[in-house]
Amino acid sequence: MKLIRSLELKKNRKREGLFVAEGPKVVGDLMQAGYVPRMLFSTVARPDAELITEEELRKVSFLQHPQEVIAVFEIPSISHQPSAISHHLALALDGVQDPGNLGTIIRIADWFGISTIYCSMDTADAYNPKVVQATMGSLAHVQVFYTDLLEVFKSLPSSYPIYGTLLDGENIYEQELTAEGIIVMGNEGNGISPEVRQHINKRLLIPDFHTDGLRAESLNVAIATAITCSEFRRRQ
């Protein structure tokens, strides 16, 4: 119990090389994808889990309403980063810090068939319990790499499409969108950083449709990611 609770902190996850997943859906999808649980507990009898009481589950769960199953998995060891130069779309997250947003973006990427996400080093940890839960199992299908985004962009040919949603961009619904490239999404409050913005060669804008000038100041980054990915896929 002490070990599981300690995995709420990134430093402990890093030291132990472990993360926590909860609920039959999330745990089941991870196991189906080949993740082997180091520990597996359930309040319902099952042959692959140790039976615990609901009270014991509540003591270790990170959820307000625990969901029957909790497991501890090893954080996968990824020895290399796939080349960004491909005929596929990838996402790059520049300082996305809210765990709920990151988890939702991973789930969105999975839905739209985007299997690679590059994250800046200050982006939230993909193995935070809140992120894992928000992915609803999609963490098993999407590879998340933490890297220096500037180095990734510098390694690409100058003609390689790097898209970014910016307030001074061009209407996404009127622009040519390619089947390959990197879509950059920025920080919740500050957007895409000036350093990363310099590498964006395809500037996009998700327009608002208010006619009276009264509108929301901005879109949530996960919602903006969903709209952007949907428009890319609609064209293909």
Side-chain angles (χ1 to χ4, degrees):
M1 291 173 65
K2 184 177 179 181
L3 172 63
I4 293 174
R5 292 301 306 180
S6 75
L7 297 177
E8 184 175 16
L9 298 179
K10 181 178 179 179
K11 65 178 183 179
N12 295 332
R13 293 193 297 273
K14 185 175 181 180
R15 183 186 68 239
E16 301 291 344
L18 301 171
F19 72 98
V20 178
E22 299 190 56
K25 172 73 170 66
V26 177
V27 172
D29 281 1
L30 287 167
M31 292 176 66
Q32 189 173 16
Y35 284 71
V36 179
R38 177 77 67 85
M39 291 180 274
L40 180 60
F41 303 98
S42 174
T43 58
V44 177
R46 48 187 286 176
D48 57 351
E50 182 175 340
L51 189 64
I52 60 173
T53 66
E54 292 186 5
E55 181 181 356
E56 289 172 322
L57 180 61
R58 281 194 296 271
K59 288 181 178 180
V60 294
S61 175
F62 297 106
L63 303 178
Q64 186 174 358
H65 303 289
Q67 299 178 12
E68 185 181 299
V69 178
I70 188 168
V72 175
F73 294 97
E74 291 186 12
I75 296 174
S77 175
I78 301 174
S79 58
H80 67 282
Q81 210 168 263
S83 172
I85 304 176
S86 69
H87 298 295
H88 305 285
L89 282 175
L91 286 175
L93 305 183
D94 182 23
V96 173
Q97 296 180 344
D98 182 83
N101 282 337
L102 176 57
T104 302
I105 289 171
I106 293 171
R107 189 176 178 184
I108 289 166
D110 185 21
W111 181 261
F112 287 106
I114 297 173
S115 59
T116 301
I117 299 178
Y118 298 96
C119 294
S120 63
M121 300 306 293
D122 58 345
T123 291
D125 180 19
Y127 296 99
N128 179 311
K130 292 180 181 178
V131 176
V132 175
Q133 201 62 30
T135 70
M136 288 304 293
S138 289
L139 187 60
H141 312 136
V142 177
Q143 290 187 307
V144 181
F145 299 93
Y146 286 81
T147 186
D148 184 334
L149 295 182
L150 299 181
E151 291 302 316
V152 172
F153 299 147
K154 289 175 183 177
S155 71
L156 301 172
S158 59
S159 60
Y160 194 80
I162 301 176
Y163 296 90
T165 53
L166 300 164
L167 291 177
D168 60 352
E170 301 294 330
N171 190 329
I172 187 173
Y173 303 115
E174 299 173 354
Q175 302 307 303
E176 179 182 356
L177 304 177
T178 59
E180 65 177 18
I182 298 178
I183 302 169
V184 183
M185 305 304 296
N187 172 269
E188 290 87 346
N190 301 316
I192 298 170
S193 65
E195 297 80 10
V196 169
R197 193 176 304 180
Q198 292 179 2
H199 293 273
I200 292 173
N201 51 34
K202 305 284 185 180
R203 304 165 78 89
L204 302 175
L205 169 71
I206 300 173
D208 70 89
F209 292 88
H210 275 282
T211 57
D212 57 7
L214 300 175
R215 60 177 176 82
E217 183 178 321
S218 62
L219 282 173
N220 169 276
V221 65
I223 297 297
T225 302
I227 293 170
T228 303
C229 291
S230 178
E231 185 62 15
F232 269 84
R233 290 311 194 200
R234 189 182 70 84
R235 306 283 190 92
Q236 297 165 20

